[in-house]
Amino acid sequence: MGGCASCHTKRVNTQTIVILDFGSQYTQLIARRIREQNVFSVVLPCTAPLAEIQSHAPVGVILSGGPSSVYDADAPPADPAILALGVPVLGICYGLQFIAHHLGGKVVSAARREYGHAEVSILDGETALFAGLPPTLAVWMSHGDEALELPEGFRRIAQTSNALAGIADEGRRIWAVQFHPEVHHTPLGSALLKNFVFGICGAQADWTPAHFIESTIASIREKVGAGHVLCALSGGVDSSVAAVLVHRAIGSRLTCVFVDNGVLRKNEFGQVTQNLRDKLGLNLVPVDASERFLSELAGVTDPETKRKIIGREFIVVFEAEAERIAERIAKQSGGVEWLVQGTLYPDVIESSSVRGPSQTIKSHHNVGGLPERMKMKLIEPLRDLFKDEVRRIGRDLGMPEEILGRQPFPGPGLAVRIVGEVTPERVAILQNADEIVVSEIKAAGLYSQIWQSFAVLLPVRSVGVMGDQRTYAYTCAIRAVHSEDGMTADWAPLPHELLKRISSRIVNEVRGINRVVYDITSKPPGTIEWE
Ligand code: XMP
């Protein structure tokens, strides 16, 4: 990820829970569950030096799960001194085993693995971790190792019919559970985490949108001083919220550039311009470069080549515009040295994860390469936030639901939803079909419940009949998926009545399409976009 880690906005005066990541697929969920309680949390790799952990002045530390075995030679090397920092520690799954192993207990491969739903009996209802919880809990287990012997000072506080499920040493202020309180399948998991955060760590719920906005604005002002800032707006939630935050901080010294790449949705260029410039007062420069993009895309059918062309042309167009803006500004003051980027927390965690960067399936188009090329410094006001938190902040900033509630839209736009060559005619056909899909899904009240729902134009033509006329036209695929983060997705079972209406409207209203099919592929093995 391009960017300058030291340049992100700094939080002021929020209490922090540090989560050490041992590589579990659920680590981000722990952070989200803590933040849902309005308590700030950061995820650090388990290899983070003690000084870095201490620099966050944590009020508590959580050790995540992970795929390794603590007794393996290649177990992730974390410093056991984190167990003696003097702040409360909660171990989860691998975290429990880490504690047992490093404090003198014994962890072995379990005779019976526990994976999936399980029932836990609480042995000590007086334990602060279980305050207010019933004597038995439905939980989610996922482990192959178990702590056979406990370190001195520890006792069992929970148990399944099969194995140990929780330990504590109140003297050392260390608690641990073998199950995963952070996942949905542990219904009372949030209550348990709440007990840890408030009852044990004594945290205050001071991580609120208002606090975030106030401290972010203050730190942007401090950083930028009298300087000027540029923002590449995509019209999506992240770049819009980032721009509005920076605008609150420095007003018209922020200039936003919004490029029409010719593959936006129907009326999107005008709507985004209206929303952000006219309704929110941003200093927005709309650049219609659609002809340029479409002429570069002419004759190209390979998905990766399309993506690369759009990424490349975006940089060319943006740089030229930035230069124009910089010239204008230089006449009044010192030029433009800052660039806003809507980086989110999952990208930050992913790039430092102990699991390492994931394999590239598609080259994503974003503004990642711009800061280095243009020698600009980065402002990343959303670097600490998850997507749902970005929406909360947007709401607190008074942004319209029309912007905040938008489903994600890929940088290369409709180009990756037109299989085969992108032509102005095909873009227009897809825009019309897509508009029908979106408006019908909105009318059915499903838009906000679905991660993404859209139309894809296939180069396949088939024979149909309309009135008494033979038709020979394109096929349109409908794609609708449920997802938490876009990394995995399930196809959404849209009601048949809705599919019927969408299909009938597309075939009747969109010239060029005479057949509609429904994509019932999940990710993996499919991807969400077709290209
Ligand atoms: P795939 O198709 O890889 O998409 O399953 C996962 C999520 O990422 C979005 N997407 C992109 N977003 N630039 C973006 O900003 C891109 O180049 C890009 N390609 C795909 C996609 O819409 C889905 O939400």
Side-chain angles (χ1 to χ4, degrees):
M1 200 186 59
C4 158
S6 61
C7 297
H8 71 276
T9 49
K10 209 165 165 299
R11 283 160 296 100
V12 200
N13 298 333
T14 36
Q15 292 189 328
T16 302
I17 298 277
V18 165
I19 297 160
L20 287 184
D21 178 19
F22 287 89
S24 163
Q25 55 180 322
Y26 303 134
T27 304
Q28 290 194 27
L29 271 182
I30 306 175
R32 293 176 64 168
R33 296 290 167 262
I34 304 297
R35 289 171 177 216
E36 279 164 14
Q37 326 268 359
N38 290 335
V39 174
F40 187 69
S41 60
V42 287
V43 177
L44 301 179
C46 60
T47 49
L50 211 56
E52 187 185 347
I53 297 169
Q54 282 172 312
S55 73
H56 290 272
V59 294
V61 172
I62 297 181
L63 313 180
S64 85
S68 316
S69 288
V70 274
Y71 46 79
D72 277 351
D74 60 353
D79 188 344
I82 48 176
L83 301 176
L85 278 181
V87 294
V89 174
L90 172 66
I92 292 177
C93 194
Y94 181 92
L96 179 148
Q97 295 156 14
F98 180 89
I99 292 165
H101 180 73
H102 286 283
L103 294 180
K106 188 172 178 192
V107 177
V108 297
S109 177
R112 276 174 63 188
R113 295 180 57 206
E114 286 188 308
Y115 188 82
H117 294 283
E119 195 174 87
V120 160
S121 305
I122 292 178
L123 304 178
D124 180 358
E126 299 296 305
T127 315
L129 193 63
F130 296 143
L133 297 182
T136 55
L137 294 177
V139 303
W140 184 256
M141 287 283 189
S142 176
H143 66 112
D145 285 348
E146 66 176 334
L148 200 63
E149 288 166 22
L150 299 189
E152 218 177 291
F154 277 83
R155 64 201 170 85
R156 288 174 178 243
I157 54 171
Q159 179 83 34
T160 63
S161 59
N162 188 34
L164 173 86
I167 59 173
D169 177 351
E170 270 101 351
R172 272 191 271 202
R173 304 181 79 200
I174 299 177
W175 289 257
V177 289
Q178 186 56 66
F179 55 90
H180 288 272
E182 70 276 24
V183 306
H184 190 65
H185 303 301
T186 302
L188 291 174
S190 281
L192 185 152
L193 291 171
K194 200 170 174 177
N195 283 340
F196 178 69
V197 168
F198 296 114
I200 293 175
C201 301
Q204 288 148 23
D206 58 5
W207 171 245
T208 60
H211 183 279
F212 172 84
I213 291 168
E214 194 187 317
S215 63
T216 304
I217 288 177
S219 88
I220 294 171
R221 281 190 186 140
E222 189 190 320
K223 197 183 317 180
V224 171
H228 285 261
V229 181
L230 211 58
C231 174
L233 262 184
S234 71
V237 181
D238 307 340
S239 69
S240 302
V241 173
V244 170
L245 261 173
V246 177
H247 180 249
R248 281 280 169 93
I250 60 162
S252 60
R253 280 184 289 123
L254 167 72
T255 309
C256 300
V257 178
F258 178 40
V259 177
D260 185 348
N261 57 12
V263 280
L264 298 177
R265 285 164 287 193
K266 193 172 181 181
N267 302 326
E268 186 167 18
F269 193 54
Q271 274 165 9
V272 169
T273 305
Q274 200 195 19
N275 264 324
L276 294 172
R277 186 173 64 188
D278 305 343
K279 285 197 192 153
L280 292 171
L282 266 65
N283 179 8
L284 179 76
V285 181
V287 183
D288 181 358
S290 51
E291 274 180 27
R292 175 192 186 107
F293 279 86
L294 290 173
S295 80
E296 290 296 321
L297 285 168
V300 179
T301 54
D302 175 61
E304 272 301 290
T305 313
K306 285 189 201 172
R307 282 176 169 273
K308 295 220 162 90
I309 290 172
I310 293 172
R312 182 191 73 207
E313 290 308 302
F314 177 80
I315 289 180
V316 174
V317 171
F318 186 81
E319 267 182 338
E321 199 52 49
E323 245 168 65
R324 254 193 293 278
I325 293 165
E327 265 173 40
R328 182 161 44 78
I329 287 170
K331 283 185 192 144
Q332 311 153 15
S333 58
V336 186
E337 51 174 345
W338 297 93
L339 185 74
V340 181
Q341 190 160 294
T343 315
L344 298 191
Y345 198 42
D347 305 327
V348 176
I349 300 179
E350 220 28 68
S351 67
S352 65
S353 164
V354 283
R355 277 173 291 151
S358 46
Q359 199 197 347
T360 304
I361 308 290
K362 300 174 183 180
S363 56
H364 271 214
H365 155 74
N366 53 34
V367 294
L370 278 175
E372 289 86 358
R373 264 182 77 103
M374 297 174 68
K375 301 195 174 53
M376 292 176 94
K377 291 181 278 186
L378 269 186
I379 298 183
E380 299 179 300
L382 312 180
R383 215 185 136 84
D384 282 336
L385 303 184
F386 290 108
K387 189 98 182 173
D388 46 339
E389 292 175 322
V390 174
R391 292 203 166 100
R392 268 174 76 192
I393 299 298
R395 275 184 203 114
D396 242 57
L397 286 166
M399 293 173 66
E401 213 46 46
E402 226 175 302
I403 298 178
L404 299 178
R406 291 183 91 179
Q407 294 176 352
F409 186 64
L414 299 182
V416 292
R417 296 178 180 174
I418 295 173
V419 178
E421 190 185 355
V422 178
T423 64
E425 182 216 9
R426 288 182 177 185
V427 171
I429 294 175
L430 183 57
Q431 281 178 332
N432 290 332
D434 188 68
E435 193 197 22
I436 291 173
V437 174
V438 173
S439 67
E440 284 298 335
I441 286 190
K442 280 186 177 166
L446 294 175
Y447 185 79
S448 61
Q449 294 168 35
I450 289 174
W451 173 261
Q452 273 173 302
S453 46
F454 53 87
V456 182
L457 188 67
L458 310 187
V460 179
R461 287 202 280 180
S462 68
V463 174
V465 56
M466 259 194 131
D468 293 329
Q469 298 262 314
R470 174 188 191 271
T471 58
Y472 188 57
Y474 291 123
T475 307
C476 164
I478 309 300
R479 182 87 168 124
V481 295
H482 291 300
S483 176
E484 279 231 13
D485 51 13
M487 304 288 284
T488 60
D490 288 321
W491 64 273
L494 293 184
H496 284 187
E497 274 308 310
L498 174 60
L499 288 171
K500 199 163 147 187
R501 247 188 337 272
I502 290 173
S503 160
S504 153
R505 278 195 61 195
I506 290 178
V507 172
N508 279 294
E509 296 172 33
V510 182
R511 222 171 257 277
I513 296 178
N514 68 350
R515 193 173 293 268
V516 177
V517 297
Y518 192 41
D519 181 354
I520 51 166
T521 320
S522 291
K523 172 184 181 176
T527 52
I528 296 176
E529 306 291 345
W530 274 47
E531 290 194 339

